[in-house]
Amino acid sequence: MHHISLDKDQLLDMHMLMVERYGGRIGLISNDVLVRVIETPQQIYFGQLRFVTPIQQIAAVVYALVRRQPFVSQNETTALLLLLYLCDQHGYRLVLPHRDIVTAIVNIHGDADETPFCQWLRVNVTVDDNTVN
């Protein structure tokens, strides 16, 4: 079983890049919330891993970042960068225009849980044969 690997420094660096690129303020609203976002893919329910596949884990952490808003600004753009990074790290490539990916990230705000985003992700990724892990 393959788990996504993400640490706090990586996510903070992604946030800093997005603020530098698009503006806003660097900073955390809550360190505890950020830690919970990072831990989301490894949640255990009733002794079982809640998110089993890499696609489920990627969807869960991106959803958590958008919904929990740990940063002062640029949560959605950081989530977009995180999505692209994690897909690349796990040998996936998104197969649709950038604007459609952005729309999917924004639409997370209306979702009750990560299921719709996970279904969207499953449909819109392909295995990247050029990726070496």
Side-chain angles (χ1 to χ4, degrees):
M1 190 174 305
H2 194 77
H3 301 290
I4 68 168
S5 175
L6 181 66
D7 67 41
K8 183 178 168 183
D9 289 336
Q10 286 175 300
L11 200 48
L12 288 169
D13 287 346
M14 288 180 196
H15 170 65
M16 188 176 300
L17 283 170
M18 294 298 94
V19 170
E20 288 173 357
R21 168 88 184 203
Y22 298 108
R25 291 181 28 219
I26 294 173
L28 283 172
I29 292 174
S30 170
N31 185 64
D32 291 341
V33 171
L34 182 62
V35 169
R36 285 195 300 274
V37 166
I38 292 167
E39 292 173 348
T40 297
Q42 286 76 38
Q43 288 179 352
I44 304 289
Y45 280 15
F46 303 106
Q48 302 275 23
L49 193 60
R50 180 173 178 205
F51 306 108
V52 179
T53 69
I55 292 290
Q56 290 172 326
Q57 293 170 13
I58 293 166
V61 73
V62 169
Y63 174 87
L65 179 56
V66 171
R67 289 300 299 257
R68 293 184 180 159
Q69 302 277 309
F71 299 114
V72 174
S73 66
Q74 297 298 342
N75 289 282
E76 289 79 6
T77 55
T78 303
L80 175 59
L81 182 58
L82 177 62
L83 171 64
L84 297 173
Y85 170 77
L86 290 174
C87 283
D88 182 65
Q89 290 298 302
H90 294 278
Y92 298 113
R93 187 171 46 90
L94 287 159
V95 291
L96 63 167
H98 182 79
R99 71 180 173 278
D100 294 342
I101 301 168
V102 170
T103 299
I105 295 286
V106 170
N107 287 342
I108 287 173
H109 287 289
D111 296 337
D113 66 19
E114 71 287 331
T115 303
F117 185 69
C118 185
Q119 291 168 343
W120 174 89
L121 187 57
R122 193 174 291 120
V123 167
N124 290 293
V125 296
T126 186
V127 174
D128 187 350
D129 296 330
N130 297 319
T131 302
V132 177
N133 286 337

